[in-house]
Amino acid sequence: MRAVVMYGPGDVRVDQTERPTIAEPTDAVIRLAASCICGSDLWPYRGADDVDHQPMGHEYVGVVEEVGDDVAQVRVGDFVVGSFFSSDNTCAICRAGYQSHCVHRGPGAVPGAQAEYARIPHADGTLVATPGPPADDLVPSLLAASDVLGTGWFAAVAAEAGPGKTVAVVGDGAVGLLGVLAARQLGAERVIAMSRHADRQALARDFGATDVVEERGDAGVARIKQLTDGLGAHSTIEAVGTQESMMQAIRSTRPGGHVGYVGVSHDVVLPGRQLFYSGVHLHGGPAPVRRFLPDLIDRIWRRHIDPGKVFDLTLPLDEAAEGYRAMDERRAIKVLLTV
Amino acid sequence: MRAVVMYGPGDVRVDQTERPTIAEPTDAVIRLAASCICGSDLWPYRGADDVDHQPMGHEYVGVVEEVGDDVAQVRVGDFVVGSFFSSDNTCAICRAGYQSHCVHRGPGAVPGAQAEYARIPHADGTLVATPGPPADDLVPSLLAASDVLGTGWFAAVAAEAGPGKTVAVVGDGAVGLLGVLAARQLGAERVIAMSRHADRQALARDFGATDVVEERGDAGVARIKQLTDGLGAHSTIEAVGTQESMMQAIRSTRPGGHVGYVGVSHDVVLPGRQLFYSGVHLHGGPAPVRRFLPDLIDRIWRRHIDPGKVFDLTLPLDEAAEGYRAMDERRAIKVLLTV
């Protein structure tokens, strides 16, 4: 089958590889309907993370081809959406809603989903079947639920976005933009998108942003305070993962407020004293997408939300390299790969 | 009047100073019934914080001597307990329960409470009157409510201690010990005190600790995991403020669990990536004691709790220097100063 492999930084190729098979009795093999490129795939692409002949892709929707003997809930032929971390969904950590930290999860995200087929561990605890085969136009939104929407949603939940709240969103990538959507869906009164790109500002407003702030750093913090009676946001979503973005998020939040951070931390060190006196709540990490999948699928199925709009470039799998380039150069917000 | 002044590190004296007077119409002046030495007073005493002729003390109970023209709720003659940060208790931050970050609070804690009299800003928003003059044996507990109990209580609330939860407590100082008491009062099923001092272990057990762990560092984390099915505590109270104690707390907590940290951070830098993958909630800072005071006074008044037991040494104000030495040398857990 064809699969996207990152040979090294900046070097993405589509290889012929072995089609995966059932390895554990709890596995499923799915035939992908679509896949996509994640913002986090750019870290190794840009040399910020080590990479060596890595099968790429951890966001996926598709049809179940084959299941192991112990798979009871997922059936061959089901159209499924899966979380980017596999989880048994039965351990104490999963039951508490933290499936991305399942005690039986693998060492990292589900690998190799930018491909024609993928093996999904713990199929029953990882995959959620849609009510039936989806209309074609729902596929991008269902694919988004697998990570980018689920992650933005978790960030909004971690930031305790809700009625009466003002939510600031640091980061105008796909996760941040879907954080805007999530915050509004969760009832936030006001959502401030921090962005200096017209196309992303437009999408943020389309997803429900009520305000846009172009300033960054001290000026960005000052602007957020100006918009919130000098207090700071009740809730802030951090969707980048740099020192600058984390401090921007913490400093933009009022004492007692909540920062939900989902940008994968790179070289972030938080100054303890500043954090102490900020009085904020801090919560985040790899999103337990599985917790939210049934609800997200339902909202998509009923066409209440259209998170698939974050895909502003669609390419065939064979042109994955161009997709990586487009995202790296910020010519595309997020690239969908048709399989 | 007599007042404790720290001339410099290790140099504590009792001076004759001017008795404070009403400076703002929202002030009250109180005659102290008792005061005490805080663990945080040891930071400057040990040279870890700058200090130069600083009037000491921010924990207090006493009788209102005089009030400003705008004070409406607190009356002359009331026996009052006050929070170590003054607050108007009416701003949006106070109303949200974060009085220690009141938009009108002073630059630091209420100063000069190790003295015969103290001026308390924002008297109506800072002080809470007891139902009447307290019995003598209640005074230490009421004094504890002013900071050390209020801070331990906030840590337990920030750590979301509650029914069915296992709570680990890092730090066996007075705050940590009262964090044990708070966690049990809040319904925690199991409270693990981390301590290697027999007297503190005994007090921890008296306050409701179900387990004691003597190990620290990797061994301490391993022991907590061993006691919690390999998962870590649901809730961890951090009551020290060092890099070691913060990492001990984060690493002892299960993904999705809560760390409540109240030790004043000194040279703490949190590694972003480790925090990200820990999946914990982090919340803390200077405790909004005022939020809890009515409830704490009620519990003390009804003799449901006896937090005054943390005072294991009582000295007259004139012997404050010996009190500092005793705490510095860990000969005393916490020193009460009679005025």
Side-chain angles (χ1 to χ4, degrees):
Chain A
M1 66 165 190
R2 289 168 303 138
V4 176
V5 177
M6 193 179 290
Y7 278 57
D11 185 3
V12 168
R13 306 186 199 176
V14 178
D15 277 357
Q16 280 294 328
T17 65
E18 286 296 306
R19 179 177 148 180
T21 53
I22 301 291
E24 300 288 336
T26 48
D27 286 349
V29 170
I30 65 168
R31 178 168 39 84
L32 284 129
S35 186
C36 55
I37 303 172
C38 182
S40 69
D41 294 337
L42 297 181
W43 291 111
Y45 188 80
R46 291 168 174 167
D49 286 346
D50 291 338
V51 62
D52 180 20
H53 291 78
Q54 174 67 42
M56 298 301 292
H58 54 260
E59 299 166 277
Y60 54 94
V61 287
V63 176
V64 177
E65 275 287 298
E66 199 180 346
V67 295
D69 290 343
D70 293 350
V71 175
Q73 291 167 52
V74 169
R75 296 199 178 88
V76 171
D78 281 352
F79 190 94
V80 291
V81 186
S83 166
F84 68 101
F85 270 114
S86 65
S87 55
D88 62 19
N89 213 25
T90 58
C91 76
I93 301 298
C94 283
R95 290 200 312 275
Y98 285 86
Q99 291 91 341
S100 43
H101 301 270
C102 172
V103 299
H104 294 119
R105 75 164 219 201
V110 171
Q114 291 165 9
E116 290 180 274
Y117 295 88
R119 179 177 79 86
I120 310 298
H122 300 295
D124 278 340
T126 305
L127 302 171
V128 178
T130 57
D136 285 350
D137 68 322
L138 288 185
V139 170
S141 287
L142 292 167
L143 174 61
S146 176
D147 175 354
V148 65
L149 171 63
T151 295
W153 200 274
F154 171 59
V157 168
E160 300 213 350
K165 300 272 187 87
T166 294
V167 181
V169 180
V170 179
D172 63 358
V175 171
L177 293 166
L178 289 171
V180 169
L181 178 150
R184 285 291 272 187
Q185 285 286 312
L186 291 166
E189 187 175 302
R190 197 170 184 189
V191 181
I192 306 168
M194 304 191 82
S195 172
R196 42 180 62 179
H197 298 89
D199 56 336
R200 291 161 193 251
Q201 290 176 4
L203 193 49
R205 288 197 187 274
D206 192 45
F207 282 153
T210 53
D211 300 81
V212 168
V213 165
E214 296 206 342
E215 293 88 344
R216 290 186 188 179
D218 290 345
V221 172
R223 187 83 185 101
I224 296 287
K225 294 220 166 154
Q226 195 181 38
L227 290 168
T228 54
D229 298 325
L231 302 176
H234 297 95
S235 303
T236 304
I237 290 171
E238 190 285 332
V240 183
T242 62
Q243 184 71 13
E244 185 188 352
S245 62
M246 279 297 281
M247 295 317 296
Q248 179 90 31
I250 291 167
R251 293 172 61 210
S252 297
T253 308
R254 67 182 60 192
H258 293 76
V259 175
Y261 68 104
V262 292
V264 181
S265 289
H266 278 75
D267 305 325
V268 171
V269 284
L270 299 181
R273 205 172 181 102
Q274 193 172 349
L275 190 64
F276 183 84
Y277 286 107
S278 75
V280 304
H281 298 74
L282 203 57
H283 183 44
V289 173
R290 181 62 181 79
R291 188 204 311 177
F292 308 110
L293 271 182
D295 177 42
L296 298 180
I297 290 171
D298 183 59
R299 289 174 195 253
I300 292 164
W301 204 260
R302 291 186 290 126
R303 297 180 185 274
H304 286 196
I305 56 174
D306 191 3
K309 284 183 185 169
V310 288
F311 296 109
D312 56 348
L313 179 60
T314 297
L315 294 171
L317 186 68
D318 289 338
E319 292 175 31
E322 165 56 16
Y324 276 79
R325 274 194 298 274
M327 278 180 65
D328 177 42
E329 295 163 10
R330 288 180 76 92
R331 284 185 280 117
I333 297 173
K334 194 167 174 75
V335 175
L336 185 143
L337 299 171
T338 55
V339 183
Chain B
M1 67 166 189
R2 290 167 303 138
V4 176
V5 178
M6 194 179 289
Y7 277 58
D11 185 2
V12 169
R13 307 186 199 175
V14 178
D15 277 357
Q16 280 293 331
T17 64
E18 286 297 305
R19 179 178 148 180
T21 53
I22 300 292
E24 300 288 336
T26 48
D27 286 350
V29 170
I30 65 168
R31 177 167 40 84
L32 284 129
S35 186
C36 56
I37 303 172
C38 182
S40 70
D41 294 337
L42 297 181
W43 290 111
Y45 188 80
R46 291 168 174 165
D49 287 346
D50 291 339
V51 63
D52 180 19
H53 291 79
Q54 174 69 40
M56 298 301 292
H58 54 262
E59 301 167 277
Y60 54 96
V61 287
V63 176
V64 177
E65 277 285 300
E66 198 182 346
V67 295
D69 290 343
D70 292 352
V71 175
Q73 290 167 53
V74 170
R75 296 199 177 90
V76 171
D78 280 352
F79 190 94
V80 291
V81 187
S83 167
F84 69 101
F85 270 114
S86 65
S87 54
D88 63 19
N89 213 25
T90 58
C91 75
I93 301 299
C94 283
R95 291 200 311 276
Y98 284 87
Q99 291 90 341
S100 44
H101 301 270
C102 172
V103 299
H104 295 119
R105 75 164 220 202
V110 171
Q114 291 165 10
E116 290 180 273
Y117 295 87
R119 181 178 77 87
I120 310 298
H122 301 295
D124 277 342
T126 305
L127 301 171
V128 178
T130 57
D136 284 350
D137 68 321
L138 288 184
V139 170
S141 286
L142 292 167
L143 174 61
S146 177
D147 176 355
V148 64
L149 170 62
T151 295
W153 200 274
F154 171 58
V157 169
E160 301 212 350
K165 299 273 186 87
T166 294
V167 181
V169 181
V170 179
D172 63 358
V175 172
L177 292 167
L178 289 170
V180 169
L181 178 149
R184 284 292 272 188
Q185 286 286 312
L186 292 166
E189 187 176 302
R190 197 170 185 188
V191 180
I192 307 169
M194 304 191 81
S195 173
R196 41 180 61 179
H197 298 89
D199 55 336
R200 291 161 192 252
Q201 291 175 4
L203 194 49
R205 288 197 187 275
D206 192 44
F207 283 153
T210 54
D211 301 81
V212 169
V213 165
E214 297 206 341
E215 294 87 344
R216 291 185 187 179
D218 290 346
V221 172
R223 187 82 186 100
I224 297 287
K225 296 220 165 152
Q226 195 181 37
L227 290 168
T228 54
D229 298 326
L231 302 177
H234 297 94
S235 303
T236 303
I237 290 172
E238 190 285 332
V240 184
T242 62
Q243 183 71 13
E244 184 189 350
S245 63
M246 279 297 282
M247 295 315 297
Q248 179 89 31
I250 292 166
R251 294 171 61 210
S252 296
T253 309
R254 67 183 59 192
H258 293 76
V259 175
Y261 69 104
V262 292
V264 181
S265 290
H266 279 74
D267 304 326
V268 171
V269 283
L270 299 181
R273 204 172 181 102
Q274 193 172 348
L275 190 64
F276 183 85
Y277 286 107
S278 75
V280 303
H281 298 74
L282 203 57
H283 182 45
V289 172
R290 181 62 181 79
R291 189 204 310 178
F292 307 110
L293 273 182
D295 177 42
L296 298 181
I297 290 171
D298 183 59
R299 289 174 195 253
I300 292 165
W301 206 260
R302 292 187 289 126
R303 297 179 185 275
H304 285 195
I305 56 175
D306 191 3
K309 284 184 186 168
V310 287
F311 296 108
D312 57 348
L313 179 61
T314 297
L315 294 170
L317 186 67
D318 289 337
E319 293 176 32
E322 166 55 16
Y324 276 80
R325 275 193 297 274
M327 278 180 65
D328 178 42
E329 294 163 11
R330 288 180 78 93
R331 284 185 281 119
I333 296 172
K334 194 165 174 78
V335 175
L336 185 143
L337 299 172
T338 55
V339 184

